[in-house]
Amino acid sequence: MPDSTFLDSTELVLNMGPQHPSTHGVLRVILKLDGEKVLGTECVIGYLHRGVEKIAENRTYAQFNPYVDRMDYVAAISNGLGYCLAVEKMLNVEAPPRAQAIRVILTELNRIASHLLWLGTHALDIGAITPVFYCLREREEALKIFEKYCGARLTTHAFRIGGLLYETYDGFEQDIRDFCAMFVPHVDEYEELLTNNRIWIGRLKDVGILNADECKEFGVTGPVLRAAGVKWDLRKAQPYSGYEKYDFEIPTRQNGDTYDRYIVRMQEMRQSVRIMQQAVEAIPEGPIMGKVGKVIKPPVGEAYVSIEAPKGELGYYVVSDGSTQPYRVRVRPPCFVNLQALDRMIRGGLVADVVAVIGTLDIVLGEIDR
Amino acid sequence: MADEQKPGGSEAAPPPGGEAAKEPGKTAVEAPKPAPPKPALPPPKPPAIMVATPWESELARELKESFGEGIGETSTYLGQNFIVAKPGSAIPILEYLKLESDFDYLVDITAVDWPKRADRFDVVYILYSFSRNERVRVKIHIPDGYQPETAVGVHLTADWLEREVMPDEWQGYPLRKDHGILQQDERWVQENLGIESGQ
């Protein structure tokens, strides 16, 4: 007869991360387990803290621009767009139409690149090895376009306050057209591998549910919110950079589980292609830089400007004291706020679901820790 | 400009017109040119302030009626509306906005340090309403040491936004203006990271 004390289920504390391949960076999650069941979680963050907000106060407006790329480094262009728009708002200038169109194309291309990295690693976490190779293969094509445009692949520093520094290269439009034509069949390919895959559905369906009310309560935005049935996208709600000119849908789902978030992101990639296709055919002629002086000195004041980054609402709250350096820059990171809902999503679930839920939140620690 | 006129300051870096002074012969022949008339100093600028305009709307009126003294100012700047409230009434205002006016999404909480002001810190709550598609900021001015009430009771998301800080034992507040960018809690770094300095 085994000793009955060994059969007692006792609470087990399991440390996951910060060096763990499935936490997508240096996230540490302390799990409280009862057998396979998760009783509670605690996130430890800050391993990648660089004090970006403090650095901003010691740089000029233009000097700080490259730093924002290092926050969400897989979607650097979105970060740059948000920052440039915030400073432009304070300066009361707008980027010229040509710059806006190119910005939209590059931002959407970056959204696809970001979603591809998410899909590949998420599928890898779940146990599907193949998609990551395909995803990175297509992501490479997107990164090549960034490289041809501005010389950098990841932390691109593609935009400047007031517009763009670089004109498009010869053949830019054709590259975008080719990418769009090439990419849509590949999305079908990923979906063929995953969407109706029995194991995929079994691992994701009804896992990590976060309904619409909980999303609003936690301030969760982006695909996670849309998967819960809230048709809200800043590109539609408060259009910026000329997004109102393009015809696209906001994909939504109803259940708010991991599977729905997967579907939403897949459809978002298709919508991004639609936006790029429209934008590339209608890039207006004209200057690419607005009327911004060499020295950027916004008048005393403050502004909060946010954009729809691949992960959710990315906001910049910038305060100016009239000097050449920002008085305060606060970044409202989507990943940080979304991660807060992790505990709610996996409490009561299984250990294996933790990885699925972290993957589906699509976090980037560079942005959470800043 | 004024420095160049001073005789003492020209030793290390002679001003552009100072070459003549090194050759005494020349200066004896040529009469020293009269100094160009100094440009009149511009009148001292008034300290720049944010040029916000009053925010006239149904909501602003409602809030003023409901909270009276609790609301100091309802303004708009660059088309963005904000309320300056008394520290104690921030949370009731957030609650009112959430329940009565549908501002159900707390976007962000942050703070700005103004060391020269008596009420040193601005605490800023950024709110959004999905149904109105509208943003509003609620600001309070608080002195050093004042602990504002938590907003977790109204918006769960406030939990992390309020607590996003350095490690518990860390000494100092890096985002304050009087905290230098190279300054750090060296003791903490040595004890926890085992290195001399994080710089």
Side-chain angles (χ1 to χ4, degrees):
Chain A
M1 282 292 287
D3 186 346
S4 66
T5 52
F6 284 104
L7 295 175
D8 270 355
S9 63
T10 46
E11 209 173 271
L12 175 76
V13 177
L14 184 72
N15 181 54
M16 182 174 168
Q19 307 296 343
H20 189 286
S22 296
T23 54
H24 296 241
V26 279
L27 168 69
R28 180 177 168 208
V29 187
I30 301 168
L31 301 165
K32 265 192 211 156
L33 305 174
D34 177 9
E36 279 282 305
K37 212 173 139 203
V38 180
L39 300 176
T41 62
E42 195 184 320
C43 290
V44 183
I45 57 173
Y47 292 97
L48 212 56
H49 180 66
R50 292 148 294 173
V52 169
E53 290 173 11
K54 184 75 177 178
I55 292 172
E57 294 167 18
N58 293 275
R59 294 286 180 277
T60 64
Y61 285 91
Q63 279 173 342
F64 182 58
N65 200 352
Y67 284 86
V68 297
D69 286 359
R70 273 82 183 162
M71 289 187 300
D72 180 358
Y73 40 78
V74 299
I77 292 184
S78 292
N79 288 257
L81 178 63
Y83 177 70
C84 289
L85 286 174
V87 181
E88 282 162 18
K89 172 103 185 166
M90 300 185 72
L91 290 167
N92 218 350
V93 294
E94 208 174 43
R98 181 173 176 80
Q100 288 194 352
I102 297 169
R103 278 178 174 189
V104 165
I105 292 169
L106 291 172
T107 312
E108 290 308 315
L109 192 58
N110 203 182
R111 188 184 309 278
I112 289 174
S114 166
H115 279 6
L116 281 176
L117 191 72
W118 156 80
L119 178 64
T121 51
H122 183 42
L124 199 60
D125 288 347
I126 303 296
I129 308 290
T130 318
V132 70
F133 301 118
Y134 292 178
C135 290
L136 292 184
R137 182 184 65 192
E138 273 73 74
R139 181 169 174 263
E140 183 64 26
E141 298 305 315
L143 299 188
K144 272 184 194 158
I145 295 178
F146 298 147
E147 189 178 8
K148 274 164 104 173
Y149 173 69
C150 63
R153 290 155 52 87
L154 202 66
T155 47
T156 45
H157 193 198
F159 305 150
R160 297 297 187 275
I161 295 160
L164 303 169
L165 177 62
Y166 306 112
E167 218 358 299
T168 54
Y169 58 87
D170 287 339
F172 174 77
E173 288 90 345
Q174 194 53 42
D175 275 1
I176 298 291
R177 282 185 208 116
D178 290 348
F179 180 87
C180 293
M182 173 277 289
F183 185 63
V184 175
H186 281 304
V187 182
D188 297 337
E189 193 182 33
Y190 314 142
E191 292 225 53
E192 242 167 66
L193 277 171
L194 297 172
T195 304
N196 293 319
N197 183 319
R198 220 187 153 99
I199 306 169
W200 186 252
I201 293 172
R203 284 296 306 275
L204 300 190
K205 204 106 191 158
D206 297 326
V207 167
I209 295 177
L210 201 67
N211 65 34
D213 287 340
E214 286 172 325
C215 281
K216 288 179 184 172
E217 199 50 38
F218 277 109
V220 168
T221 46
V224 185
L225 177 69
R226 290 190 281 275
V230 182
K231 207 177 174 107
W232 186 76
D233 186 318
L234 271 169
R235 289 175 292 174
K236 286 268 192 208
Q238 299 186 339
Y240 52 87
S241 198
Y243 268 107
E244 65 279 0
K245 284 184 281 196
Y246 309 114
D247 178 32
F248 64 101
E249 308 279 321
I250 309 174
T252 52
R253 296 277 287 187
Q254 292 308 317
N255 297 332
D257 60 6
T258 305
Y259 186 73
D260 280 3
R261 291 189 277 272
Y262 155 75
I263 296 286
V264 164
R265 288 203 180 92
M266 295 308 276
Q267 290 176 357
E268 267 183 34
M269 288 200 273
R270 295 176 191 274
Q271 296 301 326
S272 291
V273 169
R274 260 179 86 184
I275 297 171
M276 279 160 63
Q277 279 170 335
Q278 292 166 48
V280 79
E281 299 308 333
I283 302 180
E285 291 298 320
I288 52 167
M289 197 65 190
K291 286 198 171 60
V292 177
K294 278 249 158 58
V295 179
I296 294 164
K297 255 175 120 169
V300 178
E302 58 182 41
Y304 175 81
V305 175
S306 60
I307 62 155
E308 186 72 32
K311 277 93 182 168
E313 175 175 353
L314 170 71
Y316 288 88
Y317 176 67
V318 185
V319 181
S320 164
D321 62 348
S323 72
T324 55
Q325 297 177 333
Y327 190 75
R328 174 91 169 91
V329 175
R330 159 73 187 173
V331 186
R332 190 271 182 202
C335 295
F336 174 74
V337 182
N338 290 3
L339 183 64
Q340 193 178 183
L342 178 73
D343 185 64
R344 175 70 60 97
M345 289 160 85
I346 54 181
R347 193 168 282 221
L350 301 175
V351 181
D353 297 343
V354 175
V355 170
V357 172
I358 292 174
T360 193
L361 277 174
D362 192 13
I363 51 168
V364 168
L365 271 294
E367 187 177 74
I368 292 171
D369 297 341
R370 298 193 301 299
Chain B
M1 290 287 276
D3 281 349
E4 287 180 15
Q5 308 281 335
K6 281 182 197 162
S10 59
E11 268 194 15
E19 268 184 37
K22 280 186 179 170
E23 297 165 61
K26 258 190 173 178
T27 32
V29 179
E30 281 176 34
K33 281 181 190 168
K38 276 188 191 174
L41 285 170
K45 276 187 196 165
I49 46 158
M50 185 159 75
V51 195
T53 47
W55 173 33
E56 303 290 350
S57 76
E58 189 72 22
L59 182 65
R61 253 196 313 283
E62 263 176 48
L63 279 167
K64 274 186 176 155
E65 271 170 28
S66 312
F67 289 91
E69 285 287 290
I71 289 188
E73 179 191 341
T74 53
S75 313
T76 177
Y77 180 70
L78 296 173
Q80 301 184 342
N81 306 319
F82 64 92
I83 301 161
V84 180
K86 290 263 162 61
S89 45
I91 304 306
I93 289 174
L94 293 189
E95 196 168 6
Y96 178 90
L97 283 171
K98 183 184 178 185
L99 298 177
E100 306 290 329
S101 312
D102 223 11
F103 280 89
D104 46 359
Y105 166 28
L106 177 65
V107 181
D108 201 1
I109 304 176
T110 186
V112 186
D113 183 12
W114 303 93
K116 284 179 192 153
R117 224 172 50 189
D119 288 338
R120 186 174 165 180
F121 300 106
D122 276 356
V123 177
V124 187
Y125 301 86
I126 304 171
L127 297 164
Y128 177 79
S129 161
F130 286 101
S131 56
R132 295 161 164 258
N133 189 17
E134 204 178 312
R135 279 181 208 286
V136 65
R137 290 198 293 269
V138 178
K139 276 207 249 182
I140 54 173
H141 304 315
I142 56 166
D144 199 356
Y146 180 93
Q147 281 207 338
E149 255 182 273
T150 175
V152 173
V154 189
H155 295 279
L156 268 179
T157 181
D159 187 6
W160 278 27
L161 294 172
E162 284 171 354
R163 292 192 299 136
E164 187 185 12
V165 285
M166 302 301 286
D168 290 339
E169 317 84 41
W170 188 278
Q171 300 292 314
Y173 303 93
L175 278 172
R176 288 191 179 190
K177 284 285 170 188
D178 48 18
H179 197 282
I181 191 164
L182 292 179
Q183 200 179 332
Q184 62 175 351
D185 183 358
E186 277 167 25
R187 199 178 56 82
W188 189 93
V189 171
Q190 278 165 20
E191 279 175 13
N192 290 278
L193 306 181
I195 52 175
E196 272 305 300
S197 158
Q199 297 301 337

